[in-house]
């Protein structure tokens, strides 16, 4: 058989082909074996006719076989020789070349392309010649040999191969060689190029271009003064308009490399431009002037594409001439040429040319000229391209000359604002982005000049900045109501850039924005709030509130407060401003509002009281913003400190706000010494207040206010004087030692002691240590836990004093911790274990006995309920292992093994201890997997297998987690010898555990399959587990398919792509549809089938914008570019300007006007009762079933030619053909279902012989035999009978109406 699929005949028509018998579709040996028998008979029959086997063919076959045997023998000899060459590669059988320059050619060895084989053959021949002459295979030798071959070789394919190899080697030939032989090399290359300019081998032309580029780019500047060099360069320029795209692109690239990447242009003292740049500019200008923009303008488009990459490196006069030519081409109103010209200018500005090539004056002139070519406001593609070019032009101008750029910005702002009125959303989006980019890249980067302009501005004469802002501010008028969202975004950028420099200019705009915000159902509240928030950040709240007053005084008659939306905006955006403004403006306002609230509360006006109380709390919520890096802290803090202290002690509702403000103030004060000193002065006032409030007995100890207060105390202690802190610590210890305090107060005092530990000296630490020694065995578990917390802070060593104390008392601390082990409660485990961690970090010498004493506690705590205790236990195990590695002088693997054996001693304990030991081993296995020896690994695997056969569930659960970490920590090579043992223990678990942990075991089997393959694991497990493995493999394959790229549909990605489609990332994206260049397919490359594309509009099409009057479009008008559109305008008239009427219109355009009576009759006919229509349908059906002729509904047709009194003529049959008379039977066949069963005399149906009985049939279903589903089936029949009765009753009623 010929390798195709055997197709069954199931898809063919009837009686075509032979179908498989049922159950035999998979038979491998069918009965009909026609082709097999035919092939079999050929072995015994003689061939008839002439045979292709001749003596010459046999000789050729023998010769090929001998060559192959010789090659194999020689290869074997070279491989077996000890003194043979060691530099041979896998491609040595094809070529003996060892030069790395041709390493990319070696990949052609397995190619079937004739061109690739020719390249290998040429390289092999050249290599053989070089070796025969005793060469060293240097680049120069290959270059000389290939140049000789270039002049002597025949055939275009061989010539292309030589040229390709030459293009590779010339890049590495020493420049001195290319300079000395420049004329000969150029002459030979140009001769080949001229002879084979229209060759079918595109690679030949491309290779010659690369060779010429390599030669020209290394020449000195003086060589470029010769006419012969320029003549060679002109040959390259001529190829930039070649009809083959690949040759043309190669020439484009060559020109760019020569002008930008020549050797002398890379030096620091390089000339401002290449000597050939003027020649290039003249050639491009001449070509564009000769061809112009008429017709297809192919040459012009190619030249524009070249200028896009090299225009920025031309000298000034060439840039000016080229830009003038480009602008003249744009006046021809050829849409395609205009688009590519925009692309060229965009490329020039994007490359940021030097001021010597593009001075600021010329840049500004180009900007001014481009306004004459501004497209129409609804022409999407050209207008977005124009905006992109103008954006790059202004950014480049701002880089060169800030003054000139700022003076040109108002005009582009006005033009872009007009684009916001476009009917196309894409244009408005691009225009808004352009304005934001100009503000950030032209204004923000030149703030020094902007400040000087604003400071030296004459009153009454608007500066360019004022003109720009007026243009944006005009967007708040109702004319721009559909684009208010984008206008607000631009205003946000303006506030961000210039809000701090010119705040007075923006006050009027803020008033307009506030009025819009207060309007009914304003749709852009979020954008407006964000803009006002940015204004608050940059201008400050004082200036914003001067423009937009809060309108809350405390003496209002109504309680609507329309400007209350400002308070959340201020709260979220106030920072780095005057703290004194809060003291002078907001504090009195908050006091008035609170007084008003108290007054209303006394008068039992609860609603008003709550309203004013909420307002004063919102005013106080602004305080944290004012405390974020205040600009006048040193002057203003003393005025607000007393009020804040009073609020802390007397106002419970303000404590959280005041404490948050203090924390922010302290954190930012640490950055400046002056502010730090000022805030630290008031520590003696604030800390006692905080201590007193914190230690007051409360009903709820875990009050969130207490936690915030403790955090505030810790923060303030960073600034407090050490003597002041010491005095507070002494008072705290004295109170804690007293017997007349409650438990809650004692707990609070201990929390304060914990906060003060890092800030006290050594004598206080000794005193604290003596206190906690007595409390570690306390029956009050909270006291015990806080005592451990104090000890933890001491052992943590956060201050030099605490580090010194721990070092001096390390032994005592060890004894204390070991002694208090038995009395420690569960809540104290976490701080106790953290203390042990700090102790082990400070142990410098070996303390093996102490480690042995601590290991059991650490292991057991891995099973604690509290997460912090478990985390501390794991960290302690890690610290103990690190300490043992530090102490030991033995090899690291041996030390790790000793540590593991020490921990594994817990496997001999109770089930709880065994489970905890397994968890500890799991952690250590992950940490020290790189230091585990083979013997230790075998021991760990054996222990895991033993534990999996245990009856205790907690042991098996820990063992399964241990096994999972084991599989993820080691490679398959390390675990291969233990695989059978692991699989056997997994399948040998107790039945109860096997069922309970089936999902965990399945996950481990999945890891084994991924590591050792499915077939290996399948062969090791018993048959009872095969079904689970099959299901596991299917699940894994399904998961792999889901992970494949493109397998899932992501709605978020599509939504992002739709949103990003509006943004013009680059000019290439904007003008992509207008690019008419199509790359040719390489001759040596196989063509691939392409999917059919949708038919697109022909590129270069243009439309004229109709003005609606009889004026003729004047093409001499400079603004005619706005009327030549690249996109087809909408044929329908705008809905705003269209005249609406309620008259009907005939196809020929005539209006149909009817009288009111006729319209009412029509409406009555159209509004006929639906129930009546349904009854008419039922009557017709009954009549048809009874055999009565069907009553037809006639539609009255109005005719203009017939009078109203005259009845319309009725058609009567008569004549021949389709007009003949037809006899009408008594009963129409198929008039109704079951008509043939209708009795002629009786009222019902009758049975017919040979036909089914006239009943309603219900299809039988095998599910109805199920006992559980009989009730449901019976219900269906009941519903059927009910439906029939209902239909019969309605039919009788309809009959009676007649």
């Amino acid at each position: 058989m010929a390798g195709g699929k055997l197709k069954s005949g199931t898809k063919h028509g009837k009686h075509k082909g032979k179908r498989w018998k049922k159950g035999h579709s998979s038979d491998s040996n069918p009965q009909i074996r026609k082709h097999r028998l035919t092939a079999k008979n050929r072995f015994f029959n003689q061939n008839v006719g002439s045979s292709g086997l001749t003596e010459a063919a046999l000789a050729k076959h023998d010769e090929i076989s001998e060559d192959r045997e010789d090659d194999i023998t020689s290869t074997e000899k070279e491989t077996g020789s000890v003194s043979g060459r060691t530099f041979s590669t896998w491609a040595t059988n094809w070529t003996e070349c060892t030069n790395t320059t041709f390493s990319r050619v070696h990949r052609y060895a397995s190619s079937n392309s004739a061109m690739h084989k020719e390249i290998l053959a040429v390289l092999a021949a050249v290599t053989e010649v070089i070796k025969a002459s005793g060469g060293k295979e240097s680049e120069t030798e290959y270059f000389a040999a290939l140049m000789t071959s270039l002049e002597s070789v025949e055939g275009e394919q061989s010539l292309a191969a030589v040229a390709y190899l030459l293009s590779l080697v010339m890049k590495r030939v020493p420049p001195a060689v290319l300079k000395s032989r420049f004329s000969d090399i150029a002459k030979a290359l140009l001769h080949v190029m001229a002879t084979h300019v229209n060759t079918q081998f595109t690679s030949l032309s491309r290779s010659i271009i690369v060779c010429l580029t390599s030669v020209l780019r290394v020449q000195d500047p003086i060589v470029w003064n010769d006419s012969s060099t320029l003549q060679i360069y002109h040959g390259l320029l001529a190829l930039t308009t070649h009809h083959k795209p690949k040759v043309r692109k190669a020439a484009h690239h060559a020109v760019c490399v020569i002008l930008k990447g020549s050797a002398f242009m890379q030096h620091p003292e390089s000339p401002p431009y290449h000597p050939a740049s003027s020649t290039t500019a003249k050639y491009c200008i001449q070509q564009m002037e000769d061809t112009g923009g008429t017709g297809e303008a192919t040459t012009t488009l190619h030249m524009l594409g070249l200028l896009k990459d090299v225009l920025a490196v031309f000298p000034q006069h060439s840039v000016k001439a080229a830009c003038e030519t480009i602008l003249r081409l744009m006046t021809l109103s050829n849409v395609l040429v205009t688009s590519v010209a925009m692309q060229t200018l965009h490329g020039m500005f994007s490359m940021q040319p030097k001021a010597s090539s593009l001075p600021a004056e010329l840049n500004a002139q180009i900007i001014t000229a481009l306004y004459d070519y501004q497209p129409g406001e609804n022409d999407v593609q050209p207008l977005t391209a124009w905006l992109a070019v103008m954006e790059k032009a202004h950014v480049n101008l701002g880089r060169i000359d800030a003054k000139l750029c700022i003076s040109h910005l108002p005009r582009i702002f006005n033009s872009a604002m007009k684009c916001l009125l476009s009917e196309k959303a894409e244009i408005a989006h691009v225009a808004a982005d352009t304005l934001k980019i100009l503000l950030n890249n032209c204004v923000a980067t030149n703030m020094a000049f902007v400040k000087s302009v604003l400071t030296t501005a004459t009153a009454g004469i608007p500066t360019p900045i004022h003109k720009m802002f007026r243009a944006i501010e005009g967007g708040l008028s109702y004319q721009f109501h559909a684009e208010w969202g984008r206008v607000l975004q631009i205003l946000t950028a303006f506030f961000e850039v210039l809000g701090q420099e010119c705040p007075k200019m923006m006050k009027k705009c803020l008033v307009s924005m506030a009025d819009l915000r207060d309007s009914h159902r304003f749709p852009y509240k979020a954008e407006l709030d964000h803009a006002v928030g940015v204004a608050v950040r940059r201008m400050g709240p004082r200036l914003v509130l001067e423009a937009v007053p809060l309108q809350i005084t405390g003496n209002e008659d109504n309680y609507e407060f329309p400007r209350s939306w400002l308070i959340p905006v201020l709260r979220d955006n106030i920072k780095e401003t005057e703290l004194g403004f809060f003291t002078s403006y907001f504090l009195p306002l908050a006091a008035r509002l609170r007084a008003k609230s108290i007054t209303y509360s006394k008068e039992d006006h609860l609603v008003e009281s709550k309203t004013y109380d909420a307002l004063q709390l919102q005013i106080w919520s602004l305080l944290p913003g004012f405390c974020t890096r205040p600009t006048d802290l040193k002057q203003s803090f003393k005025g607000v400190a007393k009020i804040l202290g009073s609020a802390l002690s007397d106002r419970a509702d303000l404590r959280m706000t005041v404490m948050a403000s203090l924390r922010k103030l302290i954190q930012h004060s640490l950055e400046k010494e002056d502010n730090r000193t000022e805030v630290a002065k008031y520590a003696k006032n604030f800390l006692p207040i905080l201590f007193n409030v914190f230690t007051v007995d409360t009903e709820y100890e875990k009050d969130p206010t207490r936690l915030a207060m403790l955090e505030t105390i810790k923060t303030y202690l960073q600034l407090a004087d050490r003597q002041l802190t010491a005095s507070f610590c002494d008072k705290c210890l004295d109170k804690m030692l007293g017997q007349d305090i409650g438990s809650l107060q004692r707990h609070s005092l201990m929390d304060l002691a914990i906060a003060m530990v890092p800030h006290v000296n050594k004598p206080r630490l000794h005193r604290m240590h003596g206190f906690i020694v007595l409390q570690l065995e306390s029956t009050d578990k909270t006291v015990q836990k806080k005592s451990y917390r104090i000890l933890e802070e001491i052992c943590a060593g956060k201050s030099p004093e605490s580090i010194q104390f721990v070092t001096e008392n390390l032994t005592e601390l060890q004894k204390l911790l070991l002694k208090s082990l038995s009395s420690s409660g569960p809540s104290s485990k976490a701080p106790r274990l953290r203390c042990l961690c700090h102790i082990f970090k400070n142990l410098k010498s070996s303390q093996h006995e102490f480690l042995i004493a601590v290991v059991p506690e650490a292991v057991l705590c891995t099973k604690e309920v509290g997460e912090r205790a478990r985390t501390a236990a794991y960290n302690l195990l890690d610290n103990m292992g690190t300490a043992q590695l530090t102490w030991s002088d033995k090899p690291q693997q041996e030390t790790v093994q000793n540590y593991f054996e020490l921990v594994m001693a817990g496997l001999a304990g109770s089930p709880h201890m065994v489970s905890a030991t397994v968890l500890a081993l799991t952690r250590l296995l992950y940490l020290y997997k790189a230091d585990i020896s083979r013997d230790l690994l075998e021991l760990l695997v054996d222990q895991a297998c033993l534990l999996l056969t245990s009856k205790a569930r907690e042991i098996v659960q820990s063992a399964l987690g241990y096994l999972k970490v084991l599989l993820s920590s080691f490679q398959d090579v390390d675990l291969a010898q233990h695989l059978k043992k692991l699989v056997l223990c997994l399948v040998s678990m107790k039945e109860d555990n096997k069922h309970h942990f089936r999902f965990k075991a399945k996950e481990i089997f999945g890891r084994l399959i991924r590591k050792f393959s499915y077939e290996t694991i399948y062969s090791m497990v018993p048959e009872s587990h095969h079904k689970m493995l099959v299901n596991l493999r299917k699940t894994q394959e399904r998961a792999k398919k889901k992970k494949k790229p493109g397998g899932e549909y992501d709605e978020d990605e599509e939504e992002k792509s739709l949103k990003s489609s509006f943004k013009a990332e680059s000019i290439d994206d904007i003008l992509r549809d207008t690019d008419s260049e199509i790359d040719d397919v390489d001759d040596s490359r196989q063509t691939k089938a392409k999917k059919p594309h949708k038919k697109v509009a022909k590129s270069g099409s243009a439309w004229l914008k109709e003005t609606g009057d009889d004026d003729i479009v004047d093409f001499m008008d400079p603004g005619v570019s706005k009327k030549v559109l690249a996109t087809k305008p909408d044929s329908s008239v705008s809905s705003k300007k269209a005249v609406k009427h309620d008259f009907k219109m005939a196809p020929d355009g005539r209006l149909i006007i009817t009288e009111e009576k006729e319209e009412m009759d029509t409406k009555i006919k159209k509004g006929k009762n639906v129930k009546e229509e349904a009854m008419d349908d039922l009557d017709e059906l009954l009549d048809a079933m009874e055999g009565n002729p069907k009553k037809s509904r006639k539609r009255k047709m109005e005719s203009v030619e017939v009078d109203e009194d005259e009845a319309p003529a009725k058609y009567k049959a008569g004549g021949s053909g389709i007009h003949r008379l037809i006899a009408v039977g008594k009963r129409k066949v198929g008039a109704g279902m079951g008509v043939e069963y209708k009795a002629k005399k009786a009222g019902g149906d009758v049975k017919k012989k040979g036909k089914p009985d006239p009943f309603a049939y219900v299809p039988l279903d095998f599910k109805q035999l199920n006992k559980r589903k009989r009730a449901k089936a019976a219900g269906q029949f009941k519903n059927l009978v009910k439906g029939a009765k209902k239909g019969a009753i309605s039919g009788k009623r309809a009959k009676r109406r007649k």
Side-chain angles (χ1 to χ4, degrees), residues 79 109 118 126 161 262 334 373 381 511 545 562 619 677 775 816 910 940:
T79 307
E118 185 68 22
V126 172
S262 293
N334 186 322
Y373 304 97
Q381 192 175 1
V511 174
L545 289 175
I619 296 297
T677 306
Q775 304 298 329
L816 177 63
S910 63
L940 293 172

Side-chain angles (χ1 to χ4, degrees), residues 1048-1162:
E1048 294 182 353
Y1049 175 75
D1050 194 350
E1051 293 182 357
D1052 296 336
E1053 290 296 326
E1054 185 183 4
E1055 189 173 342
K1056 290 178 183 177
S1057 64
L1058 288 174
K1059 289 181 179 178
S1060 62
S1061 62
F1062 289 120
K1063 187 175 182 180
E1065 294 290 344
S1066 64
I1067 194 85
D1068 297 325
D1069 298 333
I1070 296 172
L1071 301 174
R1072 184 175 295 159
D1073 296 336
T1074 62
D1075 190 4
S1076 62
E1077 183 177 331
I1078 303 173
D1079 292 339
D1080 295 339
V1081 181
D1082 197 312
D1083 299 331
S1084 62
R1085 187 177 300 173
Q1086 296 180 357
T1087 58
K1088 297 181 180 180
K1090 296 183 178 179
K1091 296 180 180 180
H1093 297 282
K1094 293 182 179 180
K1095 186 177 180 181
V1096 296
K1098 184 180 178 181
S1099 62
S1101 301
W1103 290 266
L1104 288 178
K1105 182 179 179 181
E1106 297 180 354
T1107 56
D1109 51 14
D1110 297 333
D1111 294 340
I1112 300 174
V1113 177
D1114 184 8
F1115 286 96
M1116 298 301 292
D1117 186 7
V1120 73
S1121 58
K1122 296 184 179 181
K1123 299 181 180 180
V1124 179
L1125 307 179
T1127 53
K1128 186 176 181 180
D1130 295 336
S1131 58
S1132 57
V1133 184
S1134 176
S1135 58
K1136 297 179 181 179
K1137 299 179 181 180
V1139 180
K1140 295 183 179 180
H1141 54 76
D1142 297 330
F1143 299 116
K1144 296 180 181 179
M1145 185 173 289
D1148 56 356
R1150 292 179 292 113
L1151 294 177
I1152 300 176
I1153 303 174
T1154 55
E1155 296 181 0
E1156 294 182 1
K1157 183 179 180 181
E1158 295 176 357
E1159 291 179 0
M1160 292 299 297
D1161 294 342
T1162 305

Side-chain angles (χ1 to χ4, degrees), residues 994-1036:
K994 190 184 296 183
H995 176 74
H996 190 267
F997 299 110
R998 60 189 183 277
F999 296 112
K1000 291 182 179 291
K1002 187 176 180 180
E1003 185 179 355
I1004 294 175
F1005 272 115
R1007 291 175 180 264
L1008 288 171
I1009 288 173
R1010 287 194 295 270
K1011 192 175 284 289
F1012 296 102
S1013 79
Y1014 170 79
E1015 291 76 11
T1016 305
I1017 305 301
Y1018 189 85
S1019 62
M1020 290 184 177
V1021 300
E1023 190 176 353
S1024 58
H1025 287 69
H1026 285 179
K1027 187 176 180 181
M1028 181 266 294
L1029 291 181
V1030 171
N1031 176 262
L1032 191 58
R1033 183 181 63 174
K1034 291 181 179 178
T1035 305
Q1036 290 180 350

